[in-house]
Amino acid sequence: MTLPNDPALSDRTSDALTAAHLYYMQDLTMDAIAHELHTSRSSISRLLSQARATGLVDIQIRSPLDATSSLEKVILDRYRVTAHVVPVPDHASDVDRLERVALSVARILGQFFDSNMTMGIAWGSTMSAISRHVTPKTTHNSHIVQLNGAGNMRTTGLDYASEILRRFGDAYGAHVEQFPVPAFFDDPATRQAFWRERGVTRLLEMQGRLDVALFGLGSPFSDVPSHVYAGGYLEDGDYDALSRDGAVGDVATIFFRADGSTDGIALNERSTGPEFSVLRRTPRRICVVSGSSKLASLRGALSARLITDLFIDEGTARALADS
Amino acid sequence: MTLPNDPALSDRTSDALTAAHLYYMQDLTMDAIAHELHTSRSSISRLLSQARATGLVDIQIRSPLDATSSLEKVILDRYRVTAHVVPVPDHASDVDRLERVALSVARILGQFFDSNMTMGIAWGSTMSAISRHVTPKTTHNSHIVQLNGAGNMRTTGLDYASEILRRFGDAYGAHVEQFPVPAFFDDPATRQAFWRERGVTRLLEMQGRLDVALFGLGSPFSDVPSHVYAGGYLEDGDYDALSRDGAVGDVATIFFRADGSTDGIALNERSTGPEFSVLRRTPRRICVVSGSSKLASLRGALSARLITDLFIDEGTARALADS
DNA sequence: AAGCTGGCTGAACATATGTGCAAGGAGCGG
DNA sequence: CCGCTCCTTGCACATATGTTCAGCCAGCTT
């Protein structure tokens, strides 16, 4: 594998840049551009695709503020959270919803992340879907930090989580800080010991100084269990305990009740995710939700004041607003 | 004439917003969107056109900094000015060049102008072309201020200039402050008297506190004379005087020499444009140039340090860099 | 209420854009 | 230097998008 880099890349990139200019700023047709650049129309088509895919061309949608959907207004008023409702037809499947919400988030995320920033991200099916679509944006001196461990009894889980992290890191040109620990320790004492290791404290400190946090929601007792619950991270006994403790959901493997409280939920003692008091230090906390099976979990997360920005599919948003 | 406003408009706008989301964020095809929105594909096409035209959808091109064209680098190094080179084929006519540069500027201008800002603008064929294409952007408490008078012996010139101003004002939802005076007074004393009128001093003060200034260049002695020179603003005697005084160009009807100096150019005493010492207080001064006939004038304006941002067609940029 | 106007719609057609494929060319290892 | 792979190109076709036009409806005038 060769690394196609700066010297050669420049040429193609600057062509793409020119083509984009001619197409998007001057409204020339691809045919005309092909002529100016002495190549074929198809090449221009491909060049422009690349320009969009690599973030050279950035397409944003700016609501005139006064035209925000009434749903978003209701959610803001009721929960003090900036909602971004993703339009999705009501009859769409859960997979569709997730995919479409993830795509939207992936496209918009660049507006929240910039040079010199640190972003914490969780893992799970939602994050995975987003990671597959992130639109690149060049940043400098920026970091992506893993919020919680991903190992389990069957696999190290590293491949899965690190793949997600890596995609974000690649897209933004950011340093990636993995967190190579299991999702849950067997013994709380082990965690405490680990937390005193220097490599680990460094990472925990970064988690305490995030600019952005990005996470989905777990919903252990819904019809469509999240990745954590299907992936062999938890045993039957754990489920029973969670149920007894009244947990309705989790963020980065920290569980909470309907009222947002976490105290006394035994499993949290063994979890590797950041305590909510730490997470809440992050100024912008972006939660991505799709599918009404997450509704109970979402209400809990809102009670816990974990969320500042919420991306949510239309149907679920309506359910939230109607309740 | 009815004013189609908020109540009804909202509906169409929010549809456009949804369609834009589905098209640009979720990559649905127009057909699919038509289906979701229960309308025809053609309507979606029109809806999306409108969304782009009204600035709901904002398309930007972001060079990765390290990929700025070498031309732009040379100009920055030599003149300390941020150049934006507009690609235009060498064989293009002067009219083409002007039109294409103007279109590019019109699209990008929104990035320089925002709420609570005041922008001064000149008039002339360049500004007119830009005004015909400005992409709307909603701002609040912003102002557009006319830099120099536009009346002449034949007409009040008000229609022409005010049309330009109005287009900018409409596009940005900005207050428009016209400057209802001739381009040149016959007698310098009249100007001085006028300048003490309260209505006028208010405007002059605004000119001294601009956030952005936008102007083209006049080039009195080139093959393709600018609007000022063709529009009956100047008489033969004026030309002779300018020639004697060594003028090579003007910005907002203030003339300058090749070295950027303005002192002792008689016509300036009667002109209504802002003195360069005043203009230079504006932090961002955007100059738009197309066609190599403006080259001499451009060099003068650069010497006068009038420009912070330069939009220029490729051929002229190359000529500037090669010299 | 009839008649008019202007704006909006969808069907049909005209263009513009995306993509599979075979061919050509650069780089590399033998 | 050959033969290989991998990447890129332009052509031809498949899709997607833009635009014209006739019909319709709402709102207004008479």
Side-chain angles (χ1 to χ4, degrees):
Chain A
M1 182 167 95
T2 66
L3 291 175
N5 264 342
D6 293 348
L9 179 134
S10 267
D11 206 34
R12 191 176 174 82
T13 302
S14 80
D15 268 3
L17 225 38
T18 309
H21 224 112
L22 295 173
Y23 191 75
Y24 289 106
M25 297 287 119
Q26 296 187 22
D27 291 341
L28 294 207
T29 151
M30 293 189 182
D31 238 334
I33 300 174
H35 197 260
E36 287 197 15
L37 264 52
H38 307 291
T39 177
S40 77
R41 195 182 52 71
S42 3
S43 296
I44 299 297
S45 170
R46 287 185 272 250
L47 217 48
L48 287 172
S49 301
Q50 187 205 300
R52 279 181 309 246
T54 57
L56 280 189
V57 172
D58 179 27
I59 302 186
Q60 299 186 342
I61 295 182
R62 31 182 78 257
S63 318
L65 299 174
D66 51 300
T68 49
S69 88
S70 55
L71 267 178
E72 292 175 351
K73 240 174 293 184
V74 171
I75 295 178
L76 178 62
D77 289 348
R78 182 152 353 143
Y79 301 103
R80 311 270 78 197
V81 154
T82 305
H84 304 254
V85 173
V86 177
V88 171
D90 289 332
H91 59 74
S93 74
D94 273 350
V95 182
D96 265 3
R97 276 162 205 273
L98 173 57
E99 200 61 23
R100 291 175 60 163
V101 173
L103 193 49
S104 302
V105 173
R107 295 284 169 85
I108 297 179
L109 195 57
Q111 294 176 32
F112 296 85
F113 189 61
D114 219 322
S115 293
N116 304 106
M117 282 188 166
T118 302
M119 172 161 65
I121 76 173
W123 48 268
S125 42
T126 304
M127 299 305 301
S128 172
I130 297 173
S131 76
R132 277 193 297 274
H133 301 290
V134 230
T135 310
K137 162 172 179 172
T138 54
T139 67
H140 302 286
N141 183 229
S142 54
H143 299 260
I144 306 282
V145 180
Q146 186 171 340
L147 282 181
N148 54 333
N152 66 16
M153 316 124 203
R154 293 212 288 265
T155 76
T156 63
L158 286 181
D159 292 346
Y160 175 72
S162 81
E163 176 74 6
I164 295 177
L165 278 264
R166 194 186 51 70
R167 291 208 193 96
F168 282 96
D170 284 357
Y172 296 135
H175 300 269
V176 169
E177 304 284 348
Q178 293 190 239
F179 197 3
V181 295
F184 300 99
F185 282 101
D186 288 336
D187 179 351
T190 318
R191 186 185 76 156
Q192 295 187 4
F194 234 90
W195 260 218
R196 288 191 296 271
E197 290 286 317
R198 270 179 308 173
V200 175
T201 54
R202 193 181 65 88
L203 199 119
L204 295 176
E205 272 163 26
M206 293 188 80
Q207 287 184 356
R209 287 183 281 102
L210 300 176
D211 298 291
V212 191
L214 180 67
F215 50 85
L217 290 179
S219 55
F221 302 111
S222 81
D223 305 337
V224 191
S226 318
H227 187 98
V228 215
Y229 314 112
Y233 293 86
L234 295 177
E235 300 177 343
D236 287 349
D238 296 326
Y239 274 107
D240 297 344
L242 281 177
S243 176
R244 268 198 313 279
D245 292 340
V248 299
D250 80 270
V251 163
T253 52
I254 298 287
F255 293 83
F256 50 82
R257 302 196 188 80
D259 65 359
S261 64
T262 60
D263 54 292
I265 297 181
L267 191 53
N268 289 342
E269 298 301 311
R270 297 163 35 210
S271 164
T272 54
E275 285 183 23
F276 290 175
S277 59
V278 173
L279 192 53
R280 276 193 291 258
R281 280 185 214 144
T282 304
R284 207 182 262 280
R285 310 185 292 276
I286 305 174
C287 178
V288 182
V289 178
S290 85
S292 46
S293 63
K294 304 245 169 137
L295 211 44
S297 184
L298 174 55
R299 289 212 188 84
L302 286 166
S303 301
R305 294 184 301 109
L306 280 183
I307 303 173
T308 64
D309 289 82
L310 175 64
F311 286 82
I312 186 171
D313 69 276
E314 191 173 353
T316 309
R318 199 172 302 122
L320 180 67
D322 283 353
S323 61
Chain B
M1 180 167 93
T2 67
L3 290 176
N5 264 341
D6 294 348
L9 178 135
S10 268
D11 205 35
R12 191 175 174 82
T13 302
S14 79
D15 267 3
L17 224 37
T18 309
H21 224 115
L22 294 173
Y23 191 76
Y24 290 107
M25 296 289 119
Q26 296 187 23
D27 291 342
L28 295 206
T29 151
M30 292 189 182
D31 238 334
I33 301 174
H35 198 261
E36 288 197 17
L37 265 53
H38 307 292
T39 176
S40 76
R41 195 182 53 69
S42 354
S43 297
I44 298 297
S45 170
R46 286 184 274 247
L47 219 47
L48 286 172
S49 302
Q50 187 206 300
R52 281 181 307 248
T54 58
L56 279 190
V57 172
D58 179 29
I59 302 185
Q60 298 187 340
I61 296 182
R62 31 182 78 256
S63 317
L65 298 174
D66 50 300
T68 49
S69 87
S70 56
L71 267 178
E72 293 175 353
K73 240 173 295 187
V74 171
I75 294 177
L76 177 62
D77 290 348
R78 182 152 353 144
Y79 300 104
R80 309 273 77 198
V81 155
T82 305
H84 305 253
V85 173
V86 177
V88 171
D90 289 333
H91 58 74
S93 73
D94 273 350
V95 182
D96 265 5
R97 277 162 203 272
L98 173 56
E99 199 61 22
R100 293 174 60 162
V101 172
L103 193 49
S104 302
V105 173
R107 295 283 170 85
I108 298 179
L109 195 56
Q111 293 176 34
F112 296 86
F113 189 62
D114 219 324
S115 292
N116 304 107
M117 282 189 166
T118 302
M119 173 161 65
I121 77 173
W123 48 267
S125 41
T126 304
M127 299 305 301
S128 171
I130 297 173
S131 76
R132 277 192 297 273
H133 301 292
V134 232
T135 310
K137 162 172 179 173
T138 55
T139 67
H140 302 286
N141 183 230
S142 55
H143 299 260
I144 305 282
V145 180
Q146 186 172 338
L147 282 180
N148 55 333
N152 66 18
M153 317 125 206
R154 293 212 289 265
T155 76
T156 64
L158 286 182
D159 291 346
Y160 176 72
S162 81
E163 177 74 5
I164 295 177
L165 277 265
R166 194 186 52 69
R167 291 208 192 97
F168 282 96
D170 283 358
Y172 295 135
H175 299 271
V176 169
E177 305 283 349
Q178 293 190 238
F179 198 2
V181 295
F184 300 100
F185 283 101
D186 288 337
D187 179 351
T190 317
R191 185 185 75 158
Q192 296 189 3
F194 234 89
W195 260 217
R196 288 189 297 269
E197 291 285 318
R198 272 178 307 173
V200 174
T201 53
R202 193 181 66 88
L203 199 120
L204 295 175
E205 272 163 26
M206 292 188 81
Q207 287 185 355
R209 288 182 282 101
L210 300 176
D211 299 291
V212 191
L214 179 67
F215 50 86
L217 290 179
S219 56
F221 301 110
S222 80
D223 304 338
V224 191
S226 317
H227 188 98
V228 215
Y229 313 113
Y233 294 85
L234 296 176
E235 301 178 341
D236 286 350
D238 296 324
Y239 274 105
D240 297 344
L242 281 176
S243 176
R244 267 198 312 279
D245 292 340
V248 299
D250 80 271
V251 163
T253 52
I254 297 288
F255 293 83
F256 50 81
R257 303 195 187 80
D259 64 359
S261 65
T262 59
D263 55 291
I265 297 181
L267 191 53
N268 288 342
E269 299 300 313
R270 297 163 35 210
S271 163
T272 54
E275 286 181 22
F276 290 174
S277 58
V278 173
L279 192 54
R280 274 192 294 256
R281 281 186 213 142
T282 304
R284 207 181 262 282
R285 309 185 292 275
I286 304 174
C287 177
V288 182
V289 178
S290 84
S292 47
S293 62
K294 304 245 168 135
L295 211 44
S297 183
L298 173 56
R299 289 212 189 82
L302 286 166
S303 302
R305 293 182 302 109
L306 281 184
I307 303 173
T308 65
D309 290 81
L310 175 64
F311 286 82
I312 185 170
D313 68 277
E314 190 174 356
T316 310
R318 198 173 302 121
L320 179 67
D322 284 354
S323 63

